[in-house]
Amino acid sequence: MLYRHLGKPIFFKMDPEKAHHLVIGGLNKSDLVPGGSAAMRLMYGVPETADLAVDLFGLHFPTPVGLAAGLDKNAEAVGGFSSIGFGFMEVGTVTPKGQPGNDSPRLFRLLPDEALINRMGFNNKGAEAMAGRLKAIKKRRIPVAVNIGRNKTTPNESAHEDYRQCIRTLYPYGDFFVVNISSPNTPDLRSLQHGSELSNLLAQVKEEMELQHQQSGAAKSLLVKIAPDVSDGELEYMVHTIAEAGMDGVIATNTTLSREGLQSDKAGETGGLSGKPLRDRSTEIISRIYRQTGGKLPIIGSGGIFTGQDAYDKIRAGASLVEIYTALIYEGPEVNRKVHAGLRKLLRRDGFSHILEAVGADHH
């Protein structure tokens, strides 16, 4: 209730991006202050329970609910986010070289729709800066995925070099990696999801991951984040190519360009839409991927999760883990406890003793 009655009214009177930086800064500082992390865990932490902990990608996830990429673009608040109930988190999207992103304003709240539109454009400080921050973290409570992208000025025919460079720089510091080819805010990026461009790119990043594995002796998983704005045929091709390339999983989905059913006067802003309007489409994409692959390609579900029921719908559709983003903005850090309590109640209702038993249940 603290966020809803005190924090949210203050933040929502501020420019969205300024509020965002304030939150990241606050979470960063909370981890630096003696006793700060413990206090955050006491207020917002989610205790690990046997029915919700997941082992996947060679990693242990104390809870199945993670933080999607985009909130902590530079890995500045990993300790803070680790203390408020997340079971894992993505940092980034990071590019080889730092870049300012698109012009402001570039982040908008759609209050009647409980949604956000962003056209940030991969604003970040670069892979070297992120590597330094991740290296400085002495102990991690949760797995950290590094979400990688290409620089705005890099043409698609050279995109593989950017992705490979990110992997080379950050391989020692990420627990797993996510190839972002689905942001709508970097020109022409989404075309990398289709045709020979996709298979060529994935072959390159897979090769780099294997090189780093050989050099370091540590195997790490590589996932691909896909867009919701694809036809059934495009999705089928993408999933086939991702599986054939030996990727370890899919994150479904990124933000959408659709504006169907929106009520907000900000609906005309360009950029990617996240939040409740994306919920059903992302769940449908998860279901199609699970069905096509027979459940053999792990899925992380993302898009419009605000409640335990929202998360459970994605799990029953085929997701082994889920992520939130917009709900954290609207609901505050209390949302994690709410989602987890809801998930446990729904598992018991349906007679499941562990969350993985519910994965893909709608198909069985």
Side-chain angles (χ1 to χ4, degrees), residues 72-120:
D72 195 358
K73 293 178 180 294
N74 296 297
E76 293 172 317
V78 172
F81 282 117
S82 301
S83 300
I84 59 172
F86 288 108
F88 66 101
M89 67 181 290
E90 285 187 77
V91 294
T93 298
V94 64
T95 54
K97 299 173 186 174
Q99 59 182 29
N102 296 323
D103 293 338
S104 297
R106 53 191 182 178
L107 181 61
F108 308 89
R109 302 184 191 99
L110 284 69
L111 300 181
D113 306 297
E114 294 187 88
L116 299 171
I117 290 175
N118 94 81
R119 50 173 181 263
M120 305 299 284

Coordinates of all heavy atoms in Angstrom, one line a residue, residues 72-120:
D72 N 16.3 -1.6 -16.2 CA 17.7 -1.4 -15.8 C 18.6 -1.6 -17.0 O 19.2 -2.6 -17.1 CB 18.0 -2.4 -14.7 CG 19.3 -2.0 -13.9 OD1 19.9 -1.0 -14.3 OD2 19.7 -2.7 -13.0
K73 N 18.6 -0.6 -17.8 CA 19.3 -0.7 -19.1 C 20.9 -0.8 -18.9 O 21.5 -1.4 -19.8 CB 19.0 0.6 -20.0 CG 17.6 0.6 -20.4 CD 17.3 1.9 -21.2 CE 15.9 2.0 -21.7 NZ 15.5 0.9 -22.6
N74 N 21.4 -0.3 -17.8 CA 22.8 -0.3 -17.6 C 23.3 -1.1 -16.5 O 24.5 -1.0 -16.0 CB 23.3 1.2 -17.4 CG 23.0 2.0 -18.7 OD1 23.6 1.7 -19.8 ND2 22.2 3.0 -18.6
A75 N 22.5 -2.0 -15.9 CA 22.8 -2.8 -14.8 C 23.2 -2.0 -13.6 O 24.2 -2.3 -12.9 CB 23.9 -3.8 -15.2
E76 N 22.5 -0.9 -13.3 CA 22.8 0.0 -12.2 C 22.1 -0.3 -10.9 O 22.5 0.2 -9.9 CB 22.5 1.4 -12.7 CG 23.3 2.0 -13.8 CD 22.8 3.3 -14.3 OE1 21.6 3.5 -14.5 OE2 23.7 4.2 -14.6
A77 N 21.1 -1.2 -11.0 CA 20.3 -1.4 -9.8 C 20.0 -2.9 -9.6 O 19.0 -3.3 -9.1 CB 19.0 -0.6 -9.8
V78 N 21.0 -3.8 -10.0 CA 20.8 -5.2 -9.9 C 20.5 -5.6 -8.4 O 19.6 -6.4 -8.1 CB 22.0 -6.0 -10.4 CG1 21.9 -7.5 -10.2 CG2 22.2 -5.7 -11.9
G79 N 21.3 -5.1 -7.5 CA 21.1 -5.4 -6.1 C 19.7 -5.0 -5.6 O 19.0 -5.8 -4.9
G80 N 19.3 -3.8 -6.0 CA 18.0 -3.3 -5.6 C 16.8 -4.2 -6.1 O 15.9 -4.6 -5.4
F81 N 16.9 -4.5 -7.4 CA 15.8 -5.3 -8.0 C 15.8 -6.7 -7.5 O 14.8 -7.4 -7.3 CB 15.9 -5.3 -9.5 CG 15.4 -4.1 -10.2 CD1 16.3 -3.3 -10.9 CD2 14.1 -3.8 -10.1 CE1 15.8 -2.1 -11.6 CE2 13.6 -2.6 -10.8 CZ 14.5 -1.8 -11.5
S82 N 17.0 -7.2 -7.1 CA 17.2 -8.5 -6.5 C 16.5 -8.6 -5.1 O 16.3 -9.7 -4.7 CB 18.6 -8.9 -6.4 OG 19.3 -8.9 -7.6
S83 N 16.2 -7.5 -4.5 CA 15.7 -7.5 -3.1 C 14.2 -7.3 -3.1 O 13.7 -7.3 -2.0 CB 16.4 -6.3 -2.4 OG 17.8 -6.5 -2.3
I84 N 13.5 -7.1 -4.2 CA 12.1 -6.8 -4.2 C 11.2 -7.9 -4.8 O 10.2 -7.7 -5.3 CB 11.8 -5.5 -4.8 CG1 12.2 -5.4 -6.3 CG2 12.4 -4.3 -4.0 CD1 11.7 -4.1 -7.0
G85 N 11.8 -9.2 -4.7 CA 10.9 -10.3 -5.0 C 11.0 -10.9 -6.3 O 10.3 -11.9 -6.7
F86 N 12.0 -10.4 -7.2 CA 12.2 -11.1 -8.5 C 13.0 -12.3 -8.4 O 14.0 -12.4 -7.6 CB 12.8 -10.1 -9.5 CG 11.9 -8.9 -9.9 CD1 12.1 -7.7 -9.4 CD2 10.9 -9.2 -10.8 CE1 11.3 -6.6 -9.8 CE2 10.0 -8.2 -11.2 CZ 10.2 -6.9 -10.7
G87 N 12.7 -13.3 -9.3 CA 13.5 -14.5 -9.3 C 14.6 -14.5 -10.3 O 15.5 -15.3 -10.3
F88 N 14.6 -13.5 -11.2 CA 15.7 -13.2 -12.1 C 15.4 -11.9 -12.8 O 14.4 -11.3 -12.5 CB 15.7 -14.3 -13.2 CG 14.6 -14.4 -14.1 CD1 14.6 -13.8 -15.4 CD2 13.4 -15.0 -13.7 CE1 13.5 -13.9 -16.3 CE2 12.3 -15.1 -14.6 CZ 12.3 -14.5 -15.9
M89 N 16.3 -11.4 -13.5 CA 16.1 -10.1 -14.2 C 17.0 -10.0 -15.5 O 18.0 -10.7 -15.6 CB 16.5 -8.9 -13.3 CG 17.9 -8.8 -12.9 SD 18.3 -7.4 -11.8 CE 18.0 -6.0 -12.9
E90 N 16.4 -9.3 -16.4 CA 17.2 -8.9 -17.6 C 17.8 -7.5 -17.4 O 17.0 -6.6 -16.9 CB 16.3 -8.9 -18.8 CG 16.0 -10.2 -19.4 CD 15.2 -10.1 -20.7 OE1 15.9 -9.9 -21.7 OE2 14.0 -10.2 -20.7
V91 N 19.0 -7.3 -17.8 CA 19.6 -6.0 -17.9 C 19.8 -5.6 -19.4 O 20.0 -6.5 -20.2 CB 20.9 -5.8 -17.1 CG1 20.6 -6.0 -15.6 CG2 21.9 -6.8 -17.6
G92 N 19.7 -4.3 -19.7 CA 19.8 -3.9 -21.1 C 18.5 -3.5 -21.6 O 17.5 -3.2 -20.8
T93 N 18.3 -3.3 -22.9 CA 19.2 -3.7 -23.9 C 20.5 -2.9 -24.0 O 20.5 -1.7 -24.0 CB 18.5 -3.7 -25.3 OG1 17.3 -4.5 -25.2 CG2 19.3 -4.1 -26.4
V94 N 21.6 -3.7 -24.1 CA 22.9 -3.0 -24.2 C 23.4 -3.2 -25.6 O 23.2 -4.2 -26.3 CB 23.9 -3.7 -23.2 CG1 24.2 -5.1 -23.5 CG2 25.2 -2.9 -23.1
T95 N 24.2 -2.2 -26.1 CA 24.8 -2.2 -27.4 C 26.3 -2.1 -27.2 O 26.8 -1.7 -26.2 CB 24.3 -1.1 -28.3 OG1 24.4 0.2 -27.6 CG2 22.8 -1.3 -28.6
P96 N 27.1 -2.4 -28.3 CA 28.6 -2.4 -28.1 C 29.0 -1.0 -27.7 O 29.9 -0.9 -26.7 CB 29.1 -2.8 -29.5 CG 28.0 -3.6 -30.1 CD 26.7 -3.0 -29.6
K97 N 28.6 0.0 -28.3 CA 28.9 1.4 -28.0 C 27.8 2.1 -27.3 O 26.6 1.8 -27.7 CB 29.3 2.2 -29.2 CG 30.5 1.6 -30.0 CD 30.7 2.4 -31.3 CE 31.8 1.7 -32.2 NZ 31.8 2.4 -33.5
G98 N 28.0 2.9 -26.3 CA 27.0 3.7 -25.7 C 26.3 4.6 -26.8 O 26.9 5.0 -27.7
Q99 N 25.0 4.9 -26.6 CA 24.3 5.7 -27.5 C 23.2 6.4 -26.7 O 22.6 5.9 -25.8 CB 23.8 5.0 -28.7 CG 22.8 3.8 -28.4 CD 22.4 3.0 -29.6 OE1 23.1 2.9 -30.6 NE2 21.2 2.5 -29.5
P100 N 22.8 7.6 -27.2 CA 21.8 8.4 -26.4 C 20.3 7.9 -26.6 O 19.5 8.3 -25.8 CB 22.0 9.8 -26.9 CG 22.5 9.6 -28.3 CD 23.3 8.4 -28.3
G101 N 20.1 7.2 -27.7 CA 18.7 6.8 -28.0 C 18.0 7.9 -28.7 O 18.6 8.8 -29.2
N102 N 16.6 7.8 -28.7 CA 15.8 8.7 -29.5 C 15.6 10.0 -28.7 O 15.8 10.1 -27.5 CB 14.5 8.1 -29.9 CG 14.7 6.9 -30.8 OD1 15.6 6.9 -31.7 ND2 13.9 5.8 -30.6
D103 N 15.1 11.0 -29.4 CA 14.8 12.3 -28.7 C 13.7 12.2 -27.7 O 12.7 11.4 -27.9 CB 14.4 13.3 -29.8 CG 15.6 13.7 -30.7 OD1 16.8 13.5 -30.3 OD2 15.4 14.2 -31.8
S104 N 13.8 13.0 -26.7 CA 12.7 13.1 -25.7 C 11.6 14.1 -26.2 O 11.9 15.0 -26.9 CB 13.2 13.5 -24.3 OG 14.2 12.6 -23.9
P105 N 10.3 13.9 -25.7 CA 9.9 12.8 -24.8 C 9.8 11.5 -25.6 O 9.5 11.5 -26.8 CB 8.5 13.3 -24.4 CG 8.0 14.2 -25.6 CD 9.3 14.8 -26.1
R106 N 10.0 10.4 -24.9 CA 10.1 9.1 -25.5 C 9.5 8.0 -24.6 O 9.6 6.8 -24.9 CB 11.5 8.8 -25.9 CG 12.5 8.9 -24.7 CD 13.9 8.8 -25.1 NE 14.8 8.9 -24.0 CZ 16.2 8.9 -24.1 NH1 16.7 8.7 -25.3 NH2 16.9 8.9 -23.1
L107 N 8.8 8.4 -23.5 CA 8.1 7.5 -22.6 C 6.8 8.1 -22.2 O 6.8 9.2 -21.7 CB 9.0 7.1 -21.4 CG 8.5 6.1 -20.4 CD1 8.3 4.8 -21.0 CD2 9.5 6.0 -19.2
F108 N 5.7 7.3 -22.3 CA 4.4 7.9 -22.1 C 3.6 6.9 -21.3 O 3.6 5.7 -21.6 CB 3.7 8.2 -23.4 CG 4.5 9.0 -24.3 CD1 5.4 8.5 -25.3 CD2 4.4 10.4 -24.3 CE1 6.2 9.2 -26.1 CE2 5.2 11.2 -25.1 CZ 6.1 10.6 -26.0
R109 N 2.8 7.4 -20.3 CA 1.9 6.6 -19.5 C 0.5 6.7 -20.2 O 0.0 7.8 -20.4 CB 1.8 7.0 -18.1 CG 3.1 7.0 -17.3 CD 2.8 7.4 -15.9 NE 4.1 7.7 -15.2 CZ 4.6 8.9 -14.9 NH1 3.9 10.0 -15.4 NH2 5.7 9.1 -14.3
L110 N -0.2 5.5 -20.4 CA -1.5 5.5 -20.9 C -2.4 5.0 -19.7 O -2.7 3.8 -19.6 CB -1.7 4.5 -22.1 CG -1.1 5.1 -23.4 CD1 0.4 5.2 -23.4 CD2 -1.6 4.1 -24.6
L111 N -2.8 6.0 -18.9 CA -3.4 5.6 -17.6 C -4.7 4.8 -17.7 O -4.9 3.8 -17.0 CB -3.7 6.9 -16.8 CG -2.4 7.7 -16.4 CD1 -2.8 8.9 -15.6 CD2 -1.4 6.9 -15.7
P112 N -5.6 5.2 -18.6 CA -6.9 4.4 -18.7 C -6.7 3.0 -19.2 O -7.5 2.1 -18.9 CB -7.7 5.2 -19.8 CG -7.1 6.5 -19.9 CD -5.6 6.3 -19.6
D113 N -5.5 2.7 -19.8 CA -5.3 1.4 -20.4 C -4.3 0.6 -19.6 O -4.0 -0.5 -19.9 CB -4.7 1.6 -21.8 CG -5.6 2.4 -22.7 OD1 -6.7 2.0 -23.0 OD2 -5.1 3.5 -23.2
E114 N -3.7 1.2 -18.5 CA -2.7 0.6 -17.7 C -1.6 0.1 -18.6 O -1.2 -1.1 -18.6 CB -3.2 -0.4 -16.8 CG -4.2 0.1 -15.7 CD -4.6 -0.9 -14.7 OE1 -3.9 -1.0 -13.7 OE2 -5.7 -1.5 -14.9
A115 N -1.0 1.0 -19.4 CA -0.1 0.7 -20.4 C 1.0 1.8 -20.5 O 0.9 2.9 -19.9 CB -0.7 0.5 -21.8
L116 N 2.1 1.5 -21.2 CA 3.1 2.4 -21.5 C 3.4 2.4 -23.0 O 3.3 1.3 -23.6 CB 4.4 2.1 -20.7 CG 4.4 2.0 -19.2 CD1 5.7 1.5 -18.7 CD2 4.2 3.5 -18.7
I117 N 3.8 3.5 -23.5 CA 4.4 3.5 -24.9 C 5.8 4.1 -24.7 O 6.0 5.1 -24.1 CB 3.6 4.4 -25.9 CG1 2.3 3.7 -26.2 CG2 4.4 4.6 -27.1 CD1 1.4 4.6 -27.1
N118 N 6.8 3.3 -25.3 CA 8.2 3.9 -25.2 C 8.8 3.8 -26.6 O 8.5 2.9 -27.4 CB 9.0 3.1 -24.2 CG 9.8 1.9 -24.8 OD1 10.9 2.1 -25.4 ND2 9.3 0.7 -24.7
R119 N 9.6 4.8 -26.9 CA 10.4 4.8 -28.1 C 11.8 5.3 -27.7 O 12.4 6.2 -28.3 CB 9.8 5.8 -29.2 CG 9.4 7.2 -28.7 CD 9.0 8.0 -29.9 NE 8.7 9.4 -29.6 CZ 7.4 9.8 -29.4 NH1 6.4 9.0 -29.5 NH2 7.2 11.1 -29.1
M120 N 12.3 4.6 -26.7 CA 13.6 4.9 -26.1 C 14.8 4.8 -27.1 O 15.7 5.6 -27.2 CB 13.9 4.1 -24.9 CG 12.8 4.1 -23.8 SD 12.5 5.7 -23.1 CE 14.0 5.9 -22.0

